[in-house]
Amino acid sequence: MVERGQELQRRTTGNLDELLHWVALDATFSMALRWELGQRGSFPTGRDTRIAWLAKQIELLRRLDTEWAEQFRAGIPTPYRGVRLEDVDTHPLG
């Protein structure tokens, strides 16, 4: 993974399912961010925008593979401090 010309992460695998999982995570992340940006005005003022895109990413992952979605959901509290799963689970996706 490269951001602003700097390599942040390098991953290799011989497992096709693992590769597909990584691709799904990256693709759904980008899709969820774009969706959240377009919806931002319709959510309560002052609400952490991460809640919306995390909820959307879970929804998108669930369409591909429910196990991937649940693995992602279970890991939310670690990298996204301050985001509660209860808020993500109840966020309206309309």
Side-chain angles (χ1 to χ4, degrees), residues 2 12-13 15 17 25 42 44 52 65 70 73 79 85 87 93:
V2 177
T12 60
T13 184
N15 183 315
D17 288 333
L25 286 172
S42 64
D65 187 301
E70 291 310 312
R73 184 188 170 280
L85 285 177
D87 294 334
L93 295 172

Side-chain angles (χ1 to χ4, degrees), residues 7-63:
E7 184 176 18
L8 301 176
Q9 185 179 58
R10 181 179 296 225
R11 299 182 285 192
T12 60
T13 184
N15 183 315
L16 180 59
D17 288 333
E18 187 172 31
L19 175 63
L20 291 172
H21 182 207
W22 294 343
V23 170
L25 286 172
D26 289 345
T28 57
F29 174 76
S30 295
M31 293 167 67
L33 283 179
R34 279 187 302 231
W35 174 85
E36 183 277 323
L37 185 58
Q39 300 293 317
R40 191 169 285 177
S42 64
F43 302 135
T45 304
R47 184 150 193 182
D48 188 337
T49 60
R50 297 176 301 171
I51 293 168
W53 61 258
L54 288 166
K56 187 64 172 182
Q57 187 170 7
I58 292 168
E59 177 194 48
L60 293 168
L61 282 168
R62 197 169 275 135
R63 291 179 186 184

